[in-house]
Amino acid sequence: MGDERPIGVFDSGLGGLTVAKEIFRLMPGERIIYLGDTARVPYGNKSEEAIKRFGLQDARMLLDMDIKLLIAACNTVSSVALSHLEQHVKDIPVIGVVWPGARAATSKSVEKRIGVIGTAATIRSGSYAKAINSIDPNIKVYGKPCPLFVPLVEEGLIDSDITRAAVQHYLYEMVDLGIDCLILGCTHYPILMEAIQGAVGNRIQLIDSALWVAKEAQNILKATNAAAAGDTGGFTLSRFLVTDLTPNFEPVAEALLGAGIPNIEKIAVEELEKKF
Ligand code: DGL
């Protein structure tokens, strides 16, 4: 018999839908409750203290909904606040996106030179470098914050000259560093995969953390006998909670999830603030 309880996935906004998409692709039987803190996005330029508080509030909201696994889909929360979450969440497994991405890159890098791109907070935290070097201290890790990528995706400017120029601006130095893997350390970046690959060339392998966190979730559910038994056909969120409904919400959400979006429930940000 399977465990039909949902997986809780949260992010600072809509970007974590790229993680939900990979979970559905890999495990079409699983149900997901998604929480996007769209009222307070971005987290990537906030202080460590705020990111920890927001992350824990998001987690608490989902924990009240009888979930079997909690995924911090946000790279910024995973980088700055994962151990803080782990201290407070004892009953179910908690996973972030940093370790799965770091493990994947470490196993694939032959040159032992890995690039990481993400928000300012993610790169400042050194989270990917710490994870990679705890697996292999001989690997050189080069981080680069790319703060314009999130607003470009949110504006729907995915296949555009301005995006290609921004990608070029941030990444031209990376190419000369001899890296052979580049971790897309932010929820929104998989959407820019084509532009990024175009800028860095095919010699550099892009590592999509979303894909690897879905694989990790699958392993944990199997190991704890908590996988769902049925097949829901995938790509339907059981619940889709947001703290604000922004005007271009729907096209952005659909592009990130790669599917139509279900009923949206708006919750007041004050509800989250009560949680911690
Ligand atoms: N979800 C964030 C991340 O993956 C990107 C958006 C933000 O800055 O909150 O780091």
Side-chain angles (χ1 to χ4, degrees), residues 10-31:
F10 76 89
D11 179 43
S12 53
L14 300 177
L17 290 170
T18 53
V19 172
K21 174 179 167 181
E22 295 303 334
I23 293 173
F24 284 140
R25 226 203 297 255
L26 205 60
M27 300 178 279
E30 295 299 337
R31 291 175 173 76

Side-chain angles (χ1 to χ4, degrees), residues 11-13 15 41-45 73-76 119 122 150 185-188:
D11 179 43
S12 53
V41 71
Y43 288 5
N45 57 10
C74 180
N75 280 265
T76 302
T119 65
T122 294
V150 169
C186 175
T187 47
H188 288 58

Side-chain angles (χ1 to χ4, degrees), residues 91-272:
D91 301 335
I92 57 167
V94 186
I95 51 180
V97 284
V98 170
W99 272 93
R103 272 196 285 268
T106 307
S107 71
K108 287 176 191 301
S109 177
V110 176
E111 303 296 334
K112 294 193 179 286
R113 286 170 178 265
I114 296 174
V116 184
I117 52 176
T119 65
T122 294
I123 300 304
R124 198 170 52 233
S125 73
S127 58
Y128 277 98
K130 284 178 205 153
I132 290 167
N133 288 144
S134 71
I135 302 168
D136 183 344
N138 296 319
I139 293 181
K140 288 232 174 318
V141 184
Y142 302 94
K144 176 87 183 171
C146 303
L148 283 178
F149 287 1
V150 169
L152 285 168
V153 171
E154 304 256 326
E155 284 300 318
L157 294 167
I158 291 153
D159 182 16
S160 69
D161 287 344
I162 189 166
T163 297
R164 280 184 285 276
V167 168
Q168 197 62 36
H169 166 78
Y170 288 126
L171 299 184
Y172 77 99
E173 284 170 342
M174 278 274 174
V175 181
D176 295 334
L177 294 172
I179 58 166
D180 58 359
C181 287
L182 178 64
I183 299 178
L184 308 181
C186 175
T187 47
H188 288 58
Y189 297 3
I191 300 292
L192 301 178
M193 202 127 171
E194 229 179 277
I196 295 171
Q197 193 79 71
V200 300
N202 288 334
R203 209 188 50 77
I204 296 178
Q205 190 175 350
L206 302 186
I207 307 290
D208 176 357
S209 297
L211 172 68
W212 296 96
V213 78
K215 290 189 187 199
E216 175 136 337
Q218 185 178 42
N219 291 341
I220 290 179
L221 292 178
K222 271 191 192 151
T224 55
N225 281 327
D231 186 340
T232 63
F235 290 93
T236 307
L237 297 168
S238 302
R239 294 183 69 182
F240 189 3
L241 309 163
V242 290
T243 47
D244 190 27
L245 268 173
T246 46
N248 62 346
F249 179 90
E250 270 195 52
V252 175
E254 283 180 8
L256 290 159
L257 184 62
I261 48 170
N263 285 343
I264 302 155
E265 298 169 55
K266 183 175 169 300
I267 51 167
V269 80
E270 292 77 19
E271 288 302 310
L272 289 181

